[in-house]
Amino acid sequence: MAARLAKKVLLIGWDAADWQMIRPLLDKGWMPALQRMISEGVSGNLATIQPALSPMLWNSIATGKRADKHGIHGFVEPNPDRSGIRPVTSTSRKCKAIWNILSQNGMKSNVLSWFASHPAEPINGAIVTDRFVASISEKCGDIPPGTFHPQRLRQPLSELLLRPTQLDAQALLPFVPRAAQIDQQKDDRLIKLAGLIARASSVQAAACRLITDEPWDFSAVYFSAIDEFGHFFMPYHPPKLDGVSERDASIYGEVMTGCYRFHDMMLDALLAYAGPETTVILVSDHGFLNDERRPGPSAWEHPERWHRSFGIACARGPGIRRGEPLYGATLLDVTPTILAMFGLPIGADMDGRPWLEIYEKPPRAARIASWEDERGEAGMHPPDMREDPEDSAEAIRRLVELGYIDAPDADTEETLRKVARDRTTNLAIALSNSRRAAAAVALWEKLADENPEREGYLIQLAMTLIRLGRNSDGRNVLERMSEDARRSPYVQVMLATIALAEDDPGSALSLAREALRQAPSEPSIINRAADIFIRLDRWPDAEDAFRKSLEILGDNSAAHDGLAQVYLARDEPQQAVEHSLQAVGLTHFFPAAHFHLAEGLHRCNKDWEALAAYDTCQKMGYNPEQVRRRKTEIYGARGHTARGTVPPQSETDIP
Ligand SMILES: [Zn+2]
């Protein structure tokens, strides 16, 4: 077994925290606790995964696995008796969370308010589920059974719950200095704000209590407030958005700043209680738009459109480098990283990698095939309690058909149908963005068949087929679409890709240009059109397009990788390498970008570094023939003495 690097680990979750919001506050000195974490440890972007829905993401954080493996497919699931729907539960999680693995290894965990942690699992340690603070906003306000493990925590922790009505008006003034001007008969936003503050304060109080009174090796605390504040108040954050009134902007314009400062104060207390010997990891699951790219005056319309693809990550603790950047992190890495900190092996079935490079002396991580097969008491629910919510709902539906029980009324039936559709969509998106994209095809086909009025499903199906190289199948799907839908720029770039594959460069070029004409400021379209230009050897066009895309969206790994290819073609490998490093620093799982990085490094005479980059893209499954050839060339040309400096021993990525 590898050495244990951390005595204790505290994982703090700030839903939707975003560096773009945080950086100006750090500059003003308004987030001193976070500033300390940054200077005493490593920090960087944390790439989210699709779909960027919080319950799915926080379960990926806690398991190191994508949604198809962990089984949490949205915010809600059908009740097993089909009487309606309920928030997602721990009984539908299909795999072990980090606290189960730690339980199994004799370590104690405290888990507070985590998404889909209800009912509490009987782990070695304590769990207070997400229904604890949810009860604050529910009308009856009772904390449901199953909220606490062990049960003895119910009494002391219930006493810590703060109700919005217990908040003094003074507590709201730091967020809304002009609260006195609000007519509360007509405007309920102050009440909403009080509810959010009460919930976050209750989580904080319970966290401090668990940290100080319950013994632990690992503590996980989740705060939903930055996301919820954002959906209520980010539209009023300066600069003023079109559609937001002057009055709202002036009264509510400081709420988001207040929210971040409030979280910094809570962080300060948590760090103090945890003590300097504790390793602390702070992450968010995605960012939150806060500038002129905000989609409109309401953050409740299409809430997921407000989520940015990069959240935050920081880690500080004994042995961790100080004041250093963290590159290429994704939320799938959190569980592998914590396992490595405890000296435990990483499951090869986990989708992320451990951040070993954050240590002054990077350790080696051990690996096992899967933690799911390891025996030992993991503190999970007994098998008869764990169930696939769709399977149980399906079993009930059959009983209804047979006449054993009454059918749900038409409204409930419609709700259940919509929930099932959304959950399948979420699963299909999760698969389409993974190495298991082939498994998404059948799901998109089913969704497209069952919902012929929604042509978006056909677009998704075609995109997945084309990504898998099934071009003619993709074309057939696009031909099933209406004339109108086929004019969309997304369809144009797909047709361009197919035209290229079918050796029709003329059509590919005009289709790519048409897509650009239709969506001149949509980075995903620009990047894909520019890719077509590259493949047509139209380098100046490609360069223009990638630069434009980068101007519109700064954190843009595809544009950086595109520019790297442009510089390689121009034989300016130094600049190519710089862009490649930006690309893989933003998105670690980007096989082609690692390949282009390797090409650039090789041409800069850095053979060892180039070999490491070739290894990385090879493990990610990038064109095995081509990579093997390149590696042989390097070894062949130099015998076994490659040029350049020997890189430090780095971790191996999980293939
Ligand atoms: Zn979230």
Side-chain angles (χ1 to χ4, degrees):
M1 201 157 101
R4 180 162 168 172
L5 304 163
K7 191 165 163 237
K8 290 172 147 195
V9 177
L10 168 62
L11 171 64
I12 303 170
W14 282 0
D15 202 299
D18 191 309
W19 288 124
Q20 272 187 7
M21 265 302 288
I22 290 170
R23 270 187 218 111
L25 302 178
L26 290 172
D27 290 345
K28 289 183 181 147
W30 287 357
M31 296 189 77
L34 181 57
Q35 182 63 62
R36 229 166 41 238
M37 267 200 78
I38 294 169
S39 29
E40 290 172 5
V42 296
S43 57
N45 280 321
L46 190 80
T48 193
I49 53 175
Q50 297 300 324
L53 294 175
S54 303
M56 302 174 74
L57 301 177
W58 288 102
N59 276 279
S60 286
I61 290 174
T63 59
K65 296 179 177 181
R66 290 180 191 269
D68 58 316
K69 293 181 190 165
H70 68 55
I72 305 297
H73 296 167
F75 280 91
V76 292
E77 60 190 29
N79 274 334
D81 62 1
R82 273 180 79 79
S83 59
I85 55 173
R86 65 183 185 191
V88 277
T89 56
S90 58
T91 49
S92 19
R93 203 182 61 238
K94 295 192 291 192
C95 67
K96 288 174 184 169
I98 177 74
W99 45 85
N100 302 117
I101 299 172
L102 295 177
S103 269
Q104 210 171 345
N105 287 280
M107 295 181 209
K108 277 194 187 304
S109 303
N110 289 335
V111 181
L112 174 57
S113 209
W114 212 263
F115 256 118
S117 56
H118 192 89
E121 291 169 276
I123 61 164
N124 179 17
I127 292 192
V128 179
T129 74
D130 44 342
R131 304 288 165 88
F132 171 58
V133 288
S135 67
I136 292 176
S137 45
E138 281 156 16
K139 293 221 168 52
C140 57
D142 284 342
I143 303 174
T147 302
F148 301 95
H149 165 78
Q151 195 49 37
R152 66 174 163 79
L153 291 172
R154 172 174 278 272
Q155 178 62 29
L157 289 188
S158 304
E159 285 169 8
L160 297 177
L161 267 190
L162 184 66
R163 307 274 167 188
T165 45
Q166 293 170 284
L167 276 183
D168 178 308
Q170 297 292 323
L172 304 182
L173 288 180
F175 301 88
V176 189
R178 298 170 63 197
Q181 295 176 17
I182 298 169
D183 177 357
Q184 292 206 52
Q185 300 299 322
K186 293 185 191 140
D187 182 351
D188 65 353
R189 282 171 286 188
L190 216 47
I191 312 273
K192 299 233 164 72
L193 176 65
L196 296 176
I197 297 172
R199 285 192 2 216
S201 306
S202 302
V203 172
Q204 175 75 2
C208 293
R209 163 72 212 255
L210 291 174
I211 286 173
T212 49
D213 290 7
E214 296 295 318
W216 54 281
D217 296 282
F218 171 68
S219 261
V221 189
Y222 165 77
F223 292 90
S224 59
I226 294 176
D227 184 74
E228 293 165 356
F229 268 76
H231 286 295
F232 282 109
F233 297 105
M234 190 60 93
Y236 314 122
H237 187 71
K240 195 183 90 62
L241 276 185
D242 286 349
V244 169
S245 74
E246 291 286 349
R247 185 184 158 78
D248 281 354
S250 86
I251 291 185
Y252 295 108
E254 286 161 63
V255 174
M256 288 315 300
T257 300
C259 167
Y260 274 85
R261 297 185 72 177
F262 175 42
H263 279 74
D264 194 73
M265 291 179 213
M266 295 194 286
L267 175 64
D268 190 53
L270 293 177
L271 293 177
Y273 283 122
E277 78 284 2
T278 297
T279 300
V280 183
I281 303 176
L282 171 67
V283 291
S284 64
D285 53 339
H286 49 76
F288 205 91
L289 289 173
N290 49 76
D291 55 13
E292 55 289 336
R293 283 183 295 124
R294 285 170 289 179
S298 161
W300 289 110
E301 256 168 63
H302 306 293
E304 70 288 350
R305 281 196 202 157
W306 284 73
H307 293 173
R308 240 162 52 83
S309 10
F310 292 99
I312 68 165
C314 304
R316 75 109 228 244
I320 293 177
R321 299 152 82 94
R322 298 169 71 91
E324 297 280 335
L326 169 64
Y327 290 118
T330 83
L331 50 77
L332 294 163
D333 304 337
V334 176
T335 281
T337 300
I338 296 169
L339 287 172
M341 286 173 169
F342 282 117
L344 293 171
I346 287 122
D349 58 345
M350 290 179 177
D351 295 314
R353 70 174 181 106
W355 305 328
L356 303 178
E357 73 281 9
I358 67 175
Y359 279 94
E360 278 154 12
K361 293 188 191 116
R364 284 189 86 75
R367 260 153 237 280
I368 55 171
S370 172
W371 276 105
E372 305 309 320
D373 310 330
E374 295 295 308
R375 288 164 187 278
E377 183 45 59
M380 298 182 84
H381 292 304
D384 59 343
M385 232 178 114
R386 288 157 61 193
E387 56 194 352
D388 182 317
E390 257 91 35
D391 284 356
S392 49
E394 181 57 27
I396 296 288
R397 202 182 59 76
R398 280 195 298 272
L399 292 176
V400 171
E401 268 174 14
L402 293 168
Y404 289 118
I405 50 177
D406 289 337
D409 62 39
D411 281 355
T412 310
E413 200 48 64
E414 179 58 13
T415 306
L416 290 169
R417 206 186 63 82
K418 279 198 190 123
V419 164
R421 184 190 66 201
D422 290 349
R423 290 170 56 82
T424 310
T425 306
N426 292 338
L427 174 60
I429 295 173
L431 284 165
S432 300
N433 287 283
S434 77
R435 267 162 279 190
R436 300 180 288 283
V441 171
L443 295 175
W444 290 127
E445 266 167 359
K446 176 170 177 280
L447 286 161
D449 286 348
E450 291 174 0
N451 305 276
E453 73 292 353
R454 294 193 159 209
E455 297 196 291
Y457 289 128
L458 288 176
I459 294 193
Q460 294 278 10
L461 173 58
M463 247 187 238
T464 309
L465 288 167
I466 292 167
R467 201 175 305 150
L468 292 165
R470 292 170 58 184
N471 289 312
S472 59
D473 291 340
R475 180 192 289 286
N476 289 338
V477 170
L478 293 175
E479 277 165 6
R480 280 159 62 191
M481 294 173 58
S482 67
E483 275 302 315
D484 249 13
R486 286 174 63 181
R487 275 193 289 270
S488 111
Y490 293 93
V491 175
Q492 306 295 313
V493 286
M494 281 192 265
L495 289 171
T497 309
I498 297 174
L500 256 188
E502 291 173 350
D503 223 7
D504 179 0
S507 306
L509 181 61
S510 55
L511 286 160
R513 285 191 170 145
E514 175 57 19
L516 268 188
R517 197 188 58 76
Q518 282 186 40
S521 41
E522 175 49 54
S524 66
I525 294 291
I526 304 177
N527 292 341
R528 297 178 67 190
D531 265 331
I532 305 277
F533 295 150
I534 286 189
R535 290 159 68 187
L536 293 167
D537 275 330
R538 304 187 69 93
W539 297 97
D541 290 344
E543 179 173 3
D544 282 353
F546 282 127
R547 287 205 189 284
K548 173 115 194 278
S549 169
L550 205 55
E551 250 167 54
I552 299 168
L553 182 67
D555 292 338
N556 189 336
S557 46
H560 279 297
D561 175 55
L563 286 172
Q565 294 177 69
V566 169
Y567 280 114
L568 283 175
R570 249 199 243 151
D571 206 20
E572 294 179 38
Q574 209 97 45
Q575 276 93 330
V577 167
E578 274 167 34
H579 280 290
S580 292
L581 287 172
Q582 299 256 21
V584 300
L586 283 164
T587 306
H588 182 72
F589 184 72
F590 190 168
H594 288 279
F595 182 78
H596 299 133
L597 172 62
E599 300 277 281
L601 288 167
H602 180 41
R603 289 205 223 157
C604 290
N605 292 341
K606 294 187 168 166
D607 286 354
W608 278 112
E609 286 92 335
L611 285 170
Y614 281 125
D615 275 345
T616 306
C617 65
Q618 193 171 32
K619 282 183 193 121
M620 291 179 175
Y622 185 84
N623 197 336
E625 255 320 297
Q626 196 179 7
V627 178
R628 203 169 313 132
R629 226 176 16 244
R630 283 294 206 280
K631 286 170 73 175
T632 317
E633 277 164 24
I634 296 182
Y635 282 121
R638 298 278 138 185
H640 287 287
T641 52
R643 299 168 295 183
T645 50
V646 178
Q649 195 158 59
S650 62
E651 90 288 357
T652 40
D653 288 281
I654 300 167

